Amino acid sequence: MANGDAHHIEVLNPATLSVVEQVPTQSAADLDATLRTASTAREEWLRVPQRSVYLEAVSELIAAETESIAQVLTAEQGKPLTQARLEVGVAARAFAYYAGQRLAPEVLHDDERRRVERHFHPLGVAGLITAWNFPVALLAWKAAPALLAGNAVIIKPAPTTPLSALRLQGLLDKVFPQGLVQTLVGGNDLGEAIVTHPGIGKISFTGSTQTGRAIMAGSAPYLKRLTLELGGNDPAVLLPDADLAAAVSGIAAVAFRNAGQVCIAPKRVYVPRDLHDEVVDRFVDHLRGQRVGDGADEQTTIGPVQNAAQATRLTRLRESVAADGGLLHAGASGPGDLPGYFVQPAVVTGLDESAELVREEQFGPLLPVLAYDDVDAVVRSANRTEFGLGASVWSRDLDAAVAVADRLDAGTRWVNQHGPAELDIPFGGVKQSGLGSELGREGLLAFTESRITNIKKQSDRTTP
Ligand code: NAD
């Protein structure tokens, strides 16, 4: 949990541990008033003839404020500024992408006897609960389709990263009817209150699988509509003919991005035994080119992890490596004497499937590399997890790679790449990595419910 008192959150800079800002919090007691304002604003919103124009305007405002939002994002989240700027760009493009989507009724059947239409109705007020790893992009991925579909939204950012969300709220207020979008800052208890409030019909959540389960249980009495984007433990499988340089740079770019705090990062790498040492050397070479430090320093390529709990968890996982018979191979420079939540990035060898770092989602810059002898066994290993978010297969032979990818239990199977999530492609997990999808048209439909209008044009006595 974040620091502060009952009515404030103290947002810390994870690189320096200095206080960035004290933010007032809201509580469950504020929710009724929030919902009243949201419902009034939504009536106005539904009368707007072209909602997409508003989303376009938001996209432009965010793009124009890229630098200032990126600075806030880096200060509270820790990621290097270059990555923060890219994230803000993703948010701007998400609003532009959804501005281009339409929700016209579909005609399912039309002849001289009857016409059947499918209409897409908004769900009312949607609760958007986000994690701290991509506070700006996740918010936009949810808010843009929710608003285009005609909903009002209540946003609850993670308690350790509320500032960038509040910056976005300031921009959204310039465009949308007052109260249509409201950001409430608070801890997990506020999230719980949103989930269990009967006035909120939809919850779109990004965070851990454990919290996803609690949200499902909490919203069950109301049968709320849910989109859950949860944890992952993505395998990356190198086939014997993989282009090793491309595979290592492609995997490392995501595995160490945002200090490894990426839901779709490769989190275990499977390599043919005879290529293992060469692959590990290449990863270490990659790390030698990295500099760990304060994200605000333009030279930094890997920042701190975001919060104290995450740092503690990674320290424990780091210690588990030796206990499980593994070896850490580091290589990056920095962070000097900065006091923040730094975790030295490393590739890890010598572990097997039973090791904690292989079984659990590390969500940090520690990447296990495992040697394999047999592709069938590797497919079994890759699938031996409750998670199923992403997976990648690397090979010069696309048919061979696709054949292996088809056997992997994951919402997205990449070939010769691992990520990114793309605005126009539905993104979601299978197994316990999630429920439903966001992004793409599905991400828009997730904020609607389908209503059928079935019209009989002339009497037909044969039909009961
Ligand atoms: P978390 O589940 O602890 O918290 C996420 C959000 O949920 C926060 O805003 C938190 O305050 C709120 N929350 C916590 N308990 C709640 C409850 N009982 N009811 C309602 N809200 C509650 O997750 P985290 O540790 O902040 O994020 C890390 C996890 O998120 C990782 O597992 C990662 O893989 C996952 N993640 C998934 C995706 C995806 O798209 N699949 C993307 C990013 C992160």
Side-chain angles (χ1 to χ4, degrees):
M1 224 338 255
N3 300 340
D5 57 34
H7 305 291
H8 292 87
I9 280 178
E10 224 171 45
V11 182
L12 294 185
N13 180 319
T16 61
L17 303 191
S18 58
V19 176
V20 184
E21 208 173 308
Q22 285 238 6
V23 190
T25 52
Q26 285 80 39
S27 70
D30 300 314
L31 266 183
D32 286 336
T34 304
L35 271 158
R36 275 195 298 276
T37 322
S39 302
T40 310
R42 200 172 88 85
E43 282 167 26
E44 188 182 336
W45 184 229
L46 289 174
R47 287 195 297 270
V48 165
Q50 243 193 318
R51 297 196 280 265
S52 57
V53 174
Y54 291 65
L55 273 77
E56 275 293 355
V58 166
S59 172
E60 283 164 22
L61 278 179
I62 295 175
E65 289 295 326
T66 299
E67 189 57 29
S68 69
I69 303 169
Q71 295 279 347
V72 173
L73 177 57
T74 290
E76 70 173 353
Q77 202 277 341
K79 66 185 61 185
L81 268 174
T82 43
Q83 293 178 26
R85 292 180 189 118
L86 288 173
E87 181 174 343
V88 179
V90 167
R93 287 199 302 282
F95 276 94
Y97 168 74
Y98 280 108
Q101 295 291 308
R102 294 290 172 270
L103 276 175
E106 284 172 5
V107 178
L108 302 179
H109 193 99
D110 196 13
D111 60 23
E112 67 286 352
R113 290 174 50 237
R114 78 196 173 113
R115 179 177 168 89
V116 184
E117 296 167 356
R118 181 187 184 197
H119 295 250
F120 300 97
H121 272 249
L123 294 163
V125 181
L128 315 181
I129 303 177
T130 56
W132 39 260
N133 59 341
F134 288 96
V136 172
L138 296 176
L139 189 162
W141 288 4
K142 296 178 190 307
L147 292 164
L148 185 82
N151 300 283
V153 301
I154 296 174
I155 297 164
K156 198 208 83 66
T160 53
T161 55
L163 299 177
S164 48
L166 291 171
R167 286 277 307 151
L168 287 176
Q169 173 74 58
L171 298 182
L172 297 168
D173 278 343
K174 292 185 181 173
V175 175
F176 293 114
Q178 214 57 31
L180 188 72
V181 180
Q182 298 177 72
T183 299
L184 303 185
V185 175
N188 300 348
D189 51 344
L190 178 62
E192 256 180 83
I194 290 172
V195 167
T196 52
H197 196 293
I200 298 174
K202 161 87 190 187
I203 302 291
S204 178
F205 168 74
T206 298
S208 63
T209 295
Q210 192 185 355
T211 306
R213 291 188 193 109
I215 288 177
M216 217 167 170
S219 53
Y222 310 100
L223 288 175
K224 289 192 183 186
R225 283 20 181 187
L226 296 179
T227 302
L228 304 176
E229 296 292 351
L230 310 176
N233 191 3
D234 288 14
V237 178
L238 273 63
L239 297 185
D241 68 342
D243 175 340
L244 297 189
V248 168
S249 75
I251 290 169
V254 191
F256 298 108
R257 182 155 187 248
N258 199 16
Q261 302 161 118
V262 180
C263 54
I264 47 163
K267 291 178 178 139
R268 350 171 231 155
V269 182
Y270 291 93
V271 182
R273 191 168 302 282
D274 57 342
L275 300 177
H276 172 271
D277 292 357
E278 185 184 345
V279 167
V280 171
D281 288 348
R282 285 176 182 270
F283 273 120
V284 174
D285 270 354
H286 172 89
L287 287 177
R288 287 205 184 98
Q290 305 303 308
R291 173 133 163 219
V292 179
D294 185 339
D297 177 344
E298 298 276 1
Q299 306 304 312
T300 293
T301 58
I302 300 179
V305 296
Q306 202 278 317
N307 56 62
Q310 193 61 10
T312 305
R313 177 184 151 69
L314 283 158
T315 304
R316 182 180 59 73
L317 276 174
R318 209 182 164 80
E319 286 163 4
S320 76
V321 167
D324 285 331
L327 263 183
L328 292 148
H329 308 259
S333 61
D337 55 6
L338 283 169
Y341 304 131
F342 289 99
V343 176
Q344 196 59 35
V347 280
V348 181
T349 56
L351 297 179
D352 64 24
E353 292 300 315
S354 64
E356 221 176 328
L357 185 64
V358 179
R359 279 185 289 115
E360 281 194 16
E361 178 187 32
Q362 65 273 51
F363 219 55
L366 304 175
L367 181 65
V369 177
L370 296 102
Y372 74 82
D373 300 300
D374 169 54
V375 172
D376 290 336
V378 107
V379 167
R380 279 196 298 278
S381 299
N383 289 338
R384 195 179 299 127
T385 163
E386 69 187 23
F387 295 118
L389 195 55
S392 62
V393 182
W394 302 76
S395 168
R396 288 190 166 90
D397 179 343
L398 291 187
D399 291 339
V402 169
V404 174
D406 271 346
R407 298 167 66 194
L408 297 177
D409 299 335
T412 306
R413 288 88 54 95
W414 285 282
V415 171
N416 293 330
Q417 55 186 340
H418 200 117
E422 295 167 72
L423 290 173
D424 57 344
I425 311 283
F427 170 69
V430 301
K431 300 202 295 194
Q432 294 188 40
S433 280
L435 195 69
S437 297
E438 57 189 359
L439 300 182
R441 184 160 174 82
E442 259 139 296
L444 175 59
L445 297 184
F447 286 99
T448 67
E449 61 192 359
S450 155
R451 295 186 187 180
I452 302 295
T453 307
N454 195 330
I455 308 153
K456 191 172 182 180
K457 290 183 180 168
Q458 62 186 44
S459 69
D460 175 359
R461 289 174 212 285
T462 60
T463 310

Coordinates of all heavy atoms in Angstrom, one line a residue, residues 129-133 138 156-159 186-188 191-192 195 205-209 211 214-215 229-232 263 267 361 363 389 427 433 438, ligand 1:
I129 N -10.5 -0.1 -13.2 CA -9.5 -0.3 -12.1 C -8.2 -0.7 -12.7 O -8.1 -1.7 -13.4 CB -10.0 -1.3 -11.0 CG1 -11.4 -0.9 -10.5 CG2 -9.0 -1.5 -9.9 CD1 -12.0 -1.9 -9.5
T130 N -7.1 0.1 -12.5 CA -5.9 -0.2 -13.2 C -4.7 -0.5 -12.3 O -4.7 -0.2 -11.1 CB -5.5 1.0 -14.1 OG1 -5.4 2.2 -13.3 CG2 -6.5 1.2 -15.2
A131 N -3.7 -1.1 -12.9 CA -2.4 -1.4 -12.2 C -1.4 -0.3 -12.4 O -1.6 0.6 -13.2 CB -1.9 -2.8 -12.7
W132 N -0.3 -0.5 -11.7 CA 0.7 0.6 -11.6 C 1.8 0.5 -12.7 O 2.7 1.3 -12.8 CB 1.4 0.7 -10.3 CG 1.6 -0.7 -9.7 CD1 0.9 -1.3 -8.7 CD2 2.7 -1.6 -10.0 NE1 1.4 -2.6 -8.5 CE2 2.5 -2.8 -9.2 CE3 3.8 -1.6 -10.9 CZ2 3.4 -3.9 -9.3 CZ3 4.6 -2.7 -11.0 CH2 4.4 -3.8 -10.2
N133 N 1.8 -0.6 -13.5 CA 2.9 -0.7 -14.5 C 2.8 0.1 -15.7 O 3.8 0.6 -16.2 CB 3.1 -2.2 -14.8 CG 1.9 -2.9 -15.4 OD1 0.8 -2.4 -15.3 ND2 2.1 -4.0 -16.1
L138 N -3.1 1.9 -19.8 CA -4.2 1.0 -19.3 C -5.5 1.9 -19.2 O -6.6 1.4 -19.6 CB -3.9 0.3 -18.0 CG -2.7 -0.6 -18.1 CD1 -2.4 -1.2 -16.7 CD2 -2.9 -1.8 -19.1
K156 N -10.2 4.1 -11.1 CA -9.5 4.0 -9.9 C -8.0 3.6 -10.2 O -7.8 2.4 -10.5 CB -10.1 3.0 -8.9 CG -9.5 3.3 -7.5 CD -9.5 2.1 -6.6 CE -8.3 1.2 -6.8 NZ -7.1 1.8 -6.4
P157 N -7.1 4.5 -10.2 CA -5.7 4.1 -10.5 C -5.1 3.4 -9.3 O -5.7 3.4 -8.2 CB -5.0 5.4 -10.7 CG -5.8 6.5 -10.0 CD -7.2 5.9 -10.0
A158 N -4.0 2.7 -9.5 CA -3.3 2.0 -8.4 C -2.9 3.1 -7.4 O -2.5 4.2 -7.8 CB -2.2 1.2 -8.9
P159 N -2.9 2.8 -6.1 CA -2.6 3.8 -5.1 C -1.2 4.4 -5.2 O -1.0 5.5 -4.7 CB -2.8 3.1 -3.8 CG -3.0 1.7 -4.1 CD -3.3 1.5 -5.5
G186 N -7.5 6.1 -4.2 CA -7.7 5.4 -2.9 C -7.0 4.0 -3.0 O -6.4 3.6 -4.0
G187 N -7.1 3.3 -1.9 CA -6.4 2.0 -1.8 C -7.3 0.9 -2.3 O -8.3 1.1 -3.0
N188 N -6.9 -0.4 -2.0 CA -7.7 -1.5 -2.5 C -9.1 -1.5 -2.0 O -10.0 -2.0 -2.7 CB -6.9 -2.8 -2.1 CG -5.5 -2.9 -2.6 OD1 -5.2 -2.1 -3.5 ND2 -4.7 -3.8 -2.1
G191 N -11.3 0.2 -4.4 CA -11.5 -0.7 -5.5 C -12.6 -1.7 -5.2 O -13.6 -1.9 -5.9
E192 N -12.6 -2.3 -4.0 CA -13.6 -3.2 -3.5 C -15.0 -2.5 -3.5 O -16.0 -3.1 -3.9 CB -13.3 -3.7 -2.1 CG -12.7 -5.0 -2.0 CD -12.4 -5.4 -0.6 OE1 -13.3 -5.8 0.2 OE2 -11.2 -5.2 -0.2
V195 N -16.3 -2.3 -6.9 CA -16.8 -3.6 -7.4 C -18.1 -4.0 -6.8 O -19.0 -4.6 -7.5 CB -15.7 -4.6 -7.1 CG1 -16.2 -6.0 -7.3 CG2 -14.5 -4.4 -7.9
F205 N -10.9 -4.4 -15.4 CA -9.8 -4.5 -14.4 C -8.5 -5.0 -15.0 O -8.5 -5.9 -15.8 CB -10.2 -5.4 -13.2 CG -9.1 -5.8 -12.3 CD1 -8.6 -4.9 -11.4 CD2 -8.5 -7.0 -12.4 CE1 -7.5 -5.2 -10.6 CE2 -7.4 -7.4 -11.5 CZ -7.0 -6.4 -10.6
T206 N -7.4 -4.3 -14.7 CA -6.1 -4.9 -15.0 C -5.3 -4.9 -13.7 O -5.1 -4.0 -13.0 CB -5.4 -4.0 -16.0 OG1 -6.1 -3.9 -17.2 CG2 -4.0 -4.5 -16.3
G207 N -4.8 -6.1 -13.4 CA -4.0 -6.3 -12.2 C -3.7 -7.8 -12.0 O -3.7 -8.6 -13.0
S208 N -3.6 -8.2 -10.8 CA -3.1 -9.6 -10.5 C -4.3 -10.5 -10.6 O -5.5 -10.2 -10.5 CB -2.5 -9.6 -9.1 OG -3.5 -9.3 -8.2
T209 N -4.0 -11.8 -10.8 CA -5.0 -12.8 -10.9 C -5.7 -13.0 -9.6 O -6.9 -13.1 -9.6 CB -4.3 -14.2 -11.3 OG1 -3.8 -14.0 -12.6 CG2 -5.3 -15.3 -11.3
T211 N -6.4 -10.6 -7.4 CA -7.4 -9.6 -7.3 C -8.5 -9.8 -8.3 O -9.7 -9.6 -8.0 CB -6.8 -8.2 -7.5 OG1 -5.7 -8.0 -6.6 CG2 -7.8 -7.1 -7.3
A214 N -11.0 -11.9 -6.6 CA -11.8 -11.2 -5.6 C -12.8 -10.3 -6.3 O -14.0 -10.2 -5.9 CB -10.8 -10.3 -4.8
I215 N -12.5 -9.8 -7.5 CA -13.4 -8.9 -8.2 C -14.6 -9.8 -8.8 O -15.8 -9.4 -8.7 CB -12.7 -8.2 -9.3 CG1 -11.8 -7.1 -8.7 CG2 -13.6 -7.6 -10.4 CD1 -11.0 -6.3 -9.6
E229 N -8.0 -8.4 -17.1 CA -6.7 -8.6 -17.7 C -5.7 -8.8 -16.6 O -5.4 -7.9 -15.8 CB -6.3 -7.3 -18.5 CG -7.2 -7.0 -19.7 CD -7.1 -8.0 -20.8 OE1 -6.2 -8.9 -20.8 OE2 -8.0 -7.9 -21.7
L230 N -5.3 -10.1 -16.5 CA -4.6 -10.5 -15.3 C -3.1 -10.9 -15.5 O -2.6 -10.5 -16.5 CB -5.4 -11.7 -14.6 CG -6.9 -11.4 -14.5 CD1 -7.6 -12.6 -13.9 CD2 -7.1 -10.2 -13.6
G231 N -2.6 -11.6 -14.6 CA -1.1 -11.9 -14.7 C -0.8 -12.9 -15.8 O -1.7 -13.4 -16.5
G232 N 0.5 -13.1 -16.0 CA 1.0 -14.0 -17.0 C 2.3 -14.6 -16.6 O 3.0 -14.0 -15.7
C263 N 3.0 -7.1 -18.3 CA 2.2 -8.3 -18.2 C 2.6 -9.3 -19.2 O 2.6 -10.5 -19.0 CB 0.7 -8.0 -18.2 SG 0.2 -7.1 -19.6
K267 N 8.7 -14.4 -19.7 CA 9.1 -14.6 -18.3 C 9.9 -15.8 -18.0 O 10.4 -16.1 -16.9 CB 7.9 -14.5 -17.4 CG 7.4 -13.0 -17.4 CD 6.1 -12.8 -16.6 CE 5.8 -11.3 -16.7 NZ 4.4 -11.0 -16.8
E361 N 5.0 -15.7 -11.5 CA 5.2 -14.5 -12.3 C 6.1 -13.6 -11.6 O 5.8 -13.0 -10.5 CB 3.9 -13.8 -12.6 CG 4.0 -12.6 -13.4 CD 2.8 -11.7 -13.6 OE1 1.9 -11.7 -12.7 OE2 2.7 -11.1 -14.6
F363 N 7.5 -10.6 -12.6 CA 7.1 -9.2 -12.8 C 8.3 -8.3 -12.4 O 8.2 -7.4 -11.6 CB 5.9 -8.9 -12.0 CG 4.9 -7.9 -12.7 CD1 4.5 -8.3 -13.9 CD2 4.5 -6.7 -12.1 CE1 3.6 -7.4 -14.6 CE2 3.7 -5.9 -12.8 CZ 3.2 -6.2 -14.0
L389 N -1.4 -15.9 -20.8 CA -1.5 -14.5 -21.4 C -0.9 -14.5 -22.8 O -1.5 -14.4 -23.8 CB -0.9 -13.5 -20.5 CG -1.3 -12.0 -20.8 CD1 -2.8 -11.8 -20.8 CD2 -0.7 -11.1 -19.7
F427 N -7.0 -8.2 -27.2 CA -5.9 -8.7 -26.3 C -6.5 -9.2 -25.1 O -7.3 -8.5 -24.4 CB -5.0 -7.5 -26.0 CG -4.0 -7.8 -25.0 CD1 -3.0 -8.6 -25.2 CD2 -4.1 -7.1 -23.7 CE1 -2.1 -8.9 -24.1 CE2 -3.2 -7.4 -22.7 CZ -2.2 -8.3 -22.9
S433 N -5.4 -16.1 -16.8 CA -4.8 -14.8 -17.2 C -5.9 -13.8 -17.5 O -5.6 -12.6 -17.8 CB -3.8 -14.9 -18.3 OG -2.6 -15.4 -17.9
E438 N -9.6 -6.8 -24.2 CA -9.7 -5.3 -24.5 C -8.9 -5.1 -25.8 O -8.3 -6.0 -26.4 CB -9.3 -4.5 -23.4 CG -8.0 -4.6 -22.8 CD -7.9 -3.8 -21.5 OE1 -8.8 -3.1 -21.1 OE2 -6.8 -3.8 -20.9
Ligands
NAD1 P1 -3.3 -5.6 -8.0 O1 -4.3 -6.6 -8.4 O2 -2.7 -5.6 -6.7 O3 -3.9 -4.1 -8.1 C1 -4.5 -3.6 -9.3 C2 -5.5 -2.6 -9.0 O4 -6.6 -3.3 -8.3 C3 -5.1 -1.5 -8.1 O5 -5.8 -0.3 -8.5 C4 -5.6 -1.9 -6.7 O6 -5.8 -0.8 -5.8 C5 -6.9 -2.6 -7.1 N1 -7.4 -3.6 -6.1 C6 -6.7 -4.4 -5.3 N2 -7.5 -5.2 -4.6 C7 -8.7 -5.0 -5.0 C8 -10.0 -5.6 -4.7 N3 -10.2 -6.5 -3.9 N4 -11.1 -5.1 -5.4 C9 -11.0 -4.1 -6.3 N5 -9.8 -3.5 -6.6 C10 -8.7 -4.0 -6.0 O7 -2.2 -5.7 -9.1 P2 -0.8 -5.0 -9.2 O8 0.1 -5.7 -8.3 O9 -1.1 -3.5 -9.1 O10 -0.4 -5.3 -10.8 C11 0.4 -6.3 -11.1 C12 -0.3 -7.4 -11.8 O11 -1.1 -6.9 -12.9 C13 0.6 -8.4 -12.5 O12 0.1 -9.7 -12.1 C14 0.5 -8.2 -13.9 O13 0.7 -9.3 -14.7 C15 -0.9 -7.7 -14.0 N6 -1.1 -7.0 -15.3 C16 -1.9 -7.6 -16.3 C17 -2.1 -6.9 -17.5 C18 -2.9 -7.5 -18.5 O14 -3.3 -6.8 -19.4 N7 -3.2 -8.8 -18.5 C19 -1.5 -5.7 -17.7 C20 -0.7 -5.1 -16.7 C21 -0.6 -5.8 -15.4

